[in-house]
Amino acid sequence: MDIEPLFVAINSSHVFAASRDNFLIWHFMTPKTQSTLGISGSRHRKERLYHVDDTPSGVAEVIQDLDKSYQPNANMTATGDPICCLAASEKVLVIGRESGALQRYSLPQVALVQRYTFTSRPQSLAINCTST
């Protein structure tokens, strides 16, 4: 992993780890899932690194799925508004920033769909079972 994980969340198919500037999304499969799908010998890892200041649209994932040689460049510069917490459900990833901003990403394509601004810094986040 190219980042120091300070915050972690998990759902049934992904692990989300974040440093102060970047977040990583790793798609995992349990041995039961692999054997059910008939890919038990596969070692294919799907992980993607994003910078918190970038605005992903989900297009890079589609390109990477079609062209296995495509590797997007991850921005590793420091941000002026670091990540301070995160939460994930099956449909949504929410990242809290020290300025009071929340960024909501749709899953599994990881597209930034909404930014919210609050006057205080979020301490922790939680998402209900319906992601509403």
Side-chain angles (χ1 to χ4, degrees), residues 112-132:
L112 180 62
V113 293
Q114 188 71 42
R115 286 191 172 117
Y116 305 95
T117 305
F118 296 95
T119 56
S120 59
R121 176 188 183 273
Q123 189 67 30
S124 66
L125 297 171
I127 301 173
N128 67 10
C129 61
T130 60
S131 301
T132 57

Side-chain angles (χ1 to χ4, degrees), residues 4-61:
E4 178 185 355
L6 301 173
F7 313 100
V8 179
I10 189 169
N11 67 16
S12 66
S13 60
H14 292 85
V15 174
F16 308 89
S19 66
R20 294 178 58 77
D21 307 308
N22 296 289
F23 62 98
L24 177 111
I25 300 176
W26 172 53
H27 177 77
F28 69 90
M29 297 180 82
T30 62
K32 181 179 178 180
T33 307
Q34 290 178 351
S35 63
T36 303
L37 296 174
I39 56 174
S40 59
S42 175
R43 296 271 185 224
H44 182 65
R45 288 179 51 180
K46 277 193 138 179
E47 59 186 43
R48 295 188 173 104
L49 183 66
Y50 299 91
H51 193 273
V52 72
D53 290 335
D54 291 343
T55 308
S57 64
V59 174
E61 290 79 11

Side-chain angles (χ1 to χ4, degrees), residues 77-100:
T77 59
T79 183
D81 187 11
I83 297 171
C84 61
C85 55
L86 66 87
S89 72
E90 299 302 317
K91 299 176 185 177
V92 175
L93 169 67
V94 179
I95 294 179
R97 301 182 71 176
E98 288 187 358
S99 68

